[in-house]
């Protein structure tokens, strides 16, 4: 057994027998209502206590006390997730990392350069610090919601539009500090701790436990489903995407990239969806272009944006006419001459795939792109407003949002199946999202409880078909509480048992985030 395969935890807080001041026992439900839900709109019914520590030391004391008491602990951060992962199980003791914020250090001269932050630090705060103090550096992972916390992004292996070029969170994490269920602390560094001979040892709570790591058949697509590990893989990857079930992320170190001089954003309208997909294929094939993101909006998305009544949206849609879809592409450039060459190349590409370059908008500054961004953001805003209105008559109503990705060759197929299955069921829906990764966010907008039931049935049908085509049921948002049933669609029983072994290895009493990702 090699030293690299042994993970040594530290009892930094020690045994804490008396309740820390941060822990509020049996809080009044109204006073903690904001902590009982996330963006999934799933809500918790009550908690045993609430703690909102502001320092790592306070967090460790809180977790050590809960360990001594044998409490079930639920963990939440910025609560921007859409799968219910931050929603506490009834009676659990909630620990919120929302106030555990701040930049710890920046190693601007490192190879690679890195930034270390406390887990509750938002992406917006990280980016603002870099802009103010290290403008030549950037963190390229962009999950769209800049209020997302770095700890949450680690826990869900967050992706977003720029995953097309930069990959998801896992590729950028260099080091983690993990607070285990036992109250002990792990410090993990990329490349330092690895499985050897398919085994990892965890020294924890007075003993050492072995985990035999079997290969997991991850889909060959963008994915955020289950624990990431391999027989000789990096130990740290177990905690990235673990959704808080293996430990509490307290500190995160991520790699930084050199800031790019500029990015061109271009929105192109097409009269036929297959023309739009041909344009996507052409963009993928154009290796000379530094494409950062490729996004899609269908005709229903256009109509929803129009209904927002925003002048910026109207200005954008004037270019679209009655388009069947639009494709937004973001391309990095270094010089003005290069920008001109990119623009000319895009125009040729649009013509070759059946589009009209005159039906487009483009810009290379935030000001020039303001209308396009307003147009794209208006779609989910309008969807949420519609669901809120319908919920007044049907309180249990909520949207059903898919998060599935397929291989490149299945792009046209999966879009047709969404139309056939969801449209065939008579449901209102809009398709938009990360077409560069063949990853649509199809939002179904049920009008009543009967349609909500049909929407769930459609989702289950499509999930089975996507997996059969080599795809993934959760490409970037994880499983949380809402989508646990999809784990059995993605993986056979033997693989699910392997996930349970990982969970029991890190958290033998199954105390952390029970009900999230996988059940005993």
């Amino acid at each position: 057994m090699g030293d690299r395969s042994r993970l040594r935890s530290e009892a930094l807080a020690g045994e804490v027998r008396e309740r820390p001041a941060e822990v509020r026992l049996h809080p009044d439900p109204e006073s903690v209502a904001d902590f009982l839900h996330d963006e999934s709109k799933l809500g918790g019914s009550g908690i045993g206590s609430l703690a909102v520590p502001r320092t790592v030391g306070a967090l460790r004391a809180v977790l050590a006390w809960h360990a001594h008491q044998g409490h079930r602990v639920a963990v939440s951060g910025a609560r921007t997730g859409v799968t219910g992962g931050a929603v506490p199980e009834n009676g659990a003791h909630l620990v919120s990392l929302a106030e555990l914020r701040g930049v710890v250090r920046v190693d601007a001269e490192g190879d690679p350069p890195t930034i270390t932050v406390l887990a509750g630090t938002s992406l917006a705060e990280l980016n603002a610090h870099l802009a103010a103090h290290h403008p030549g550096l950037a963190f390229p992972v962009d999950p769209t919601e800049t209020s997302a916390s770095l700890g949450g992004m680690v826990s869900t292996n967050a992706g977003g539009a720029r995953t097309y070029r930069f990959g998801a969170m896992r590729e950028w994490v260099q080091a983690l500090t993990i607070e285990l269920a036992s109250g002990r602390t792990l410090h993990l560094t990329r490349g330092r701790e690895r499985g050897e001979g398919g085994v990892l040892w965890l020294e924890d709570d007075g003993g050492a436990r072995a985990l035999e790591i079997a290969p997991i058949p991850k889909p060959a697509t963008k994915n955020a489903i289950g624990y990431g590990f391999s027989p000789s893989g990096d130990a740290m990857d177990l905690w990235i995407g673990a959704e808080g079930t293996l430990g509490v992320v307290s500190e995160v170190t991520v790699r930084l990239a050199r800031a790019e001089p500029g990015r061109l954003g271009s929105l192109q309208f097409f009269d036929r969806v297959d023309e739009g997909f041909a344009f996507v294929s052409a963009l993928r094939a154009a290796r000379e272009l530094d494409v950062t993101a490729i996004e899609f909006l269908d005709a229903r998305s256009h109509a929803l944006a129009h209904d927002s009544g925003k002048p910026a949206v109207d200005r954008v849609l004037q270019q679209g006419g009655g388009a069947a879809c639009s494709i937004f592409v973001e391309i990095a450039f270094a010089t003005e001459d290069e920008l001109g060459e990119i623009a000319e190349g895009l125009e040729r590409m649009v013509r070759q795939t059946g589009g009209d370059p005159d039906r487009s908008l483009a810009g290379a500054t935030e000001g020039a792109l303001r209308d396009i961004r307003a147009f794209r953001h208006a779609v989910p805003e309008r969807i949420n407003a519609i669901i809120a209105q319908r919920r007044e008559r049907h309180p249990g109503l909520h949207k059903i949002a898919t998060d599935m990705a397929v291989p490149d060759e299945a792009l046209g197929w999966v879009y047709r199946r969404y139309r056939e299955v969801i449209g065939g069921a008579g449901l209102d829906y809009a398709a938009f999202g990360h077409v560069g990764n063949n990853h649509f966010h199809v939002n179904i907008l049920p009008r009543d409880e009967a349609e909500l039931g049909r929407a769930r049935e459609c989702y289950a049908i499509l999930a089975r078909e996507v997996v059969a085509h080599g795809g993934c049921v959760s490409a970037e948002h994880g499983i949380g509480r809402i989508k646990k049933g999809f784990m059995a669609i993605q993986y056979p029983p033997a693989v699910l048992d392997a996930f349970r072994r990982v969970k029991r290895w890190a958290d033998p009493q199954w105390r952390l985030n029970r009900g999230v990702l996988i059940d005993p």
Side-chain angles (χ1 to χ4, degrees), residues 1 20 51 84 172 206 251 256 262 310 321 330 336 357 367-368 392 411 413 450 480:
M1 180 183 62
W172 293 86
E251 195 171 275
L256 299 174
K310 295 181 178 180
E330 186 180 76
E336 291 298 317
E392 292 179 2
L411 174 59
W413 166 81

Side-chain angles (χ1 to χ4, degrees), residues 107-113 135-138 165 172 256-261:
D107 183 1
E109 304 304 321
D111 183 19
L137 297 173
R165 174 184 167 193
W172 293 86
L256 299 174
R258 298 299 170 186
E260 294 166 322

Side-chain angles (χ1 to χ4, degrees), residues 103 105-106 115 123-135:
V103 174
R105 60 185 171 273
V106 177
I115 184 170
L123 179 60
E125 290 169 333
L126 182 152
N127 288 336
H129 183 89
L130 292 178
H133 303 286
H134 303 278

Side-chain angles (χ1 to χ4, degrees), residues 252-282:
V252 181
T253 300
V254 293
R255 284 192 298 122
L256 299 174
R258 298 299 170 186
E260 294 166 322
R263 284 198 181 110
L264 169 69
S266 175
L267 181 73
Q268 177 68 51
F269 290 94
F270 291 91
D271 284 333
R272 292 169 44 188
V273 171
D274 59 352
E275 293 173 347
F277 289 167
F279 181 54
V280 171
S281 296

Side-chain angles (χ1 to χ4, degrees), residues 112-182:
T114 60
I115 184 170
T116 301
V117 299
L118 299 180
T121 307
S122 72
L123 179 60
E125 290 169 333
L126 182 152
N127 288 336
H129 183 89
L130 292 178
H133 303 286
H134 303 278
L137 297 173
F139 181 58
V141 179
D142 179 15
T144 305
E145 181 52 75
T146 60
S147 63
S149 69
L150 269 292
M153 291 171 64
V154 168
S155 295
T156 58
N157 190 28
R162 291 175 180 164
T163 305
Y164 178 78
R165 174 184 167 193
F166 296 110
M169 194 70 180
R170 179 172 282 116
E171 287 90 329
W172 293 86
V173 178
Q174 282 294 102
L176 290 176
T177 300
I178 305 289
E179 314 303 330
L180 297 172
S182 62

Side-chain angles (χ1 to χ4, degrees), residues 178-197:
I178 305 289
E179 314 303 330
L180 297 172
S182 62
R184 296 175 67 89
T185 299
L186 268 180
H187 299 284
L188 302 173
T189 299
R190 176 71 64 193
R192 189 178 67 187
E193 301 91 4
R194 303 184 70 86
E196 291 186 0

Side-chain angles (χ1 to χ4, degrees), residues 452-476:
L452 179 61
R454 292 210 300 277
R456 291 189 177 116
E457 292 169 1
C458 289
Y459 200 167
I461 291 169
L462 289 161
R464 287 190 288 270
E465 293 186 7
V466 162
V467 171
H469 277 75
C472 177
V473 298
S474 180
E476 68 181 6

